[in-house]
Amino acid sequence: MFTGIVELMGTVAEYNLQDNSASGGQGVSVTIKGASAILNDCHIGDSIACNGICLTVTAFDKDTFKVGISPETIVRTDVADWVAGTRINLERAVSQDVRFGGHYVQGHVDTVASIVSVTPEGNSLVFGFKLRDSQYEKFIVEKGFICIDGTSLTVTQVDADGTFYIAMIAHTQDVVVMPLKKIGSLVNIEVDLTGKLIEKQISVALQNQFNDSHSTLNNLIEKIIDEKVQKYLSKK
């Protein structure tokens, strides 16, 4: 679990499409450097959010760490665009003595979005985004939480076409990767888990009601239909 408060920016040192070493697992791996500030308490198997993606440490030294990349992660995120030199937001998993300054972030990226606009507003920057997968638009609401490249942010506006916006203050601009990206670049998106849980609970509850012929919902529907039929017949 993470908070969406980025600890520092690291840099991709190596992107290996076929890592046959013991720590590579004969798959895709990424080594990130410039991470010494968060490796003092690191252990093999720890989780580190890399641009919002919860990844497992398979090897590390004083300044670098390696993570494995699954096919699912490649499909869901922007990790396929990473190359040596790509800057990466980093955050360790929360510990019991960490202030919860952002919001509940799983590090389970839902999809990606494209940056469609960047507009200065005072000392802030207003970024506009368009999702690749529109089915997640329903979870993005004005003043709701959203995690973009591992950064906890607040949605300031949602347009009718699904374009949404966030405002980034000057301090955040200096400590995260988003201002380094150009219009058209991809960012990782994790929508607020609360909305997904509510949708699932309602969906299951409604399905159970529909499957039960004696449920309150079915009784209510039958009553409404009977009333409509009686009203129609009385007019004939």
Side-chain angles (χ1 to χ4, degrees):
M1 185 176 74
F2 307 91
T3 69
I5 305 300
V6 174
E7 294 188 83
L8 82 160
M9 289 186 284
T11 304
V12 173
E14 183 180 7
Y15 192 113
N16 195 332
L17 292 174
Q18 185 62 43
D19 188 342
N20 294 320
S21 68
S23 59
Q26 298 183 336
V28 178
S29 72
V30 175
T31 301
I32 296 174
K33 64 182 180 179
S36 59
I38 64 168
L39 296 177
N40 59 302
D41 60 351
C42 187
H43 301 85
I44 299 298
D46 280 357
S47 296
I48 297 179
C50 305
N51 273 5
I53 311 165
C54 179
L55 297 173
T56 300
V57 176
T58 61
F60 69 96
D61 56 29
K62 290 184 178 180
D63 186 66
T64 70
F65 68 95
K66 181 190 287 188
V67 291
I69 307 294
S70 72
E72 165 71 5
T73 298
I74 293 172
V75 170
R76 288 269 188 169
T77 73
D78 74 337
V79 72
D81 291 339
W82 296 1
V83 295
T86 299
R87 299 285 275 163
I88 305 293
N89 290 330
L90 302 175
E91 182 192 355
R92 288 169 291 184
V94 296
S95 62
Q96 61 183 6
D97 59 343
V98 171
R99 283 187 182 274
F100 213 99
H103 73 278
Y104 179 81
V105 175
Q106 292 181 291
H108 301 164
V109 172
D110 293 297
T111 186
V112 294
S114 297
I115 300 174
V116 296
S117 64
V118 183
T119 307
E121 190 174 83
N123 69 344
S124 296
L125 291 176
V126 177
F127 289 84
F129 305 92
K130 185 67 176 175
L131 292 178
R132 178 188 66 189
D133 302 308
S134 60
Q135 66 264 36
Y136 295 101
E137 290 177 359
K138 58 190 173 184
F139 301 117
I140 299 176
V141 297
E142 185 176 339
K143 300 305 179 185
F145 291 125
I146 192 164
C147 187
I148 305 178
D149 275 347
T151 307
S152 174
L153 295 162
T154 302
V155 177
T156 58
Q157 179 182 331
V158 182
D159 290 346
D161 68 352
T163 303
F164 64 96
Y165 303 84
I166 63 93
M168 183 176 289
I169 64 171
H171 167 75
T172 307
Q173 294 170 37
D174 293 334
V175 296
V176 302
V177 302
M178 198 184 306
L180 304 177
K181 294 189 173 184
K182 300 177 180 179
I183 290 177
S185 296
L186 295 180
V187 294
N188 294 320
I189 300 291
E190 181 183 330
V191 298
D192 190 12
L193 177 63
T194 306
K196 292 194 287 185
L197 289 174
I198 291 172
E199 181 192 47
K200 181 65 174 181
Q201 290 169 344
I202 292 175
S203 176
V204 170
L206 287 175
Q207 190 61 53
N208 289 338
Q209 289 277 312
F210 279 123
N211 292 338
D212 182 358
S213 60
H214 301 293
S215 69
T216 302
L217 180 60
N218 271 322
N219 290 338
L220 178 60
I221 292 172
E222 289 176 3
K223 181 180 179 181
I224 293 172
I225 292 174
D226 287 341
E227 289 176 352
K228 293 292 184 181
V229 170
Q230 292 301 321
K231 185 175 181 180
Y232 173 77
L233 291 176
S234 66
K235 291 181 179 180
K236 296 185 71 175

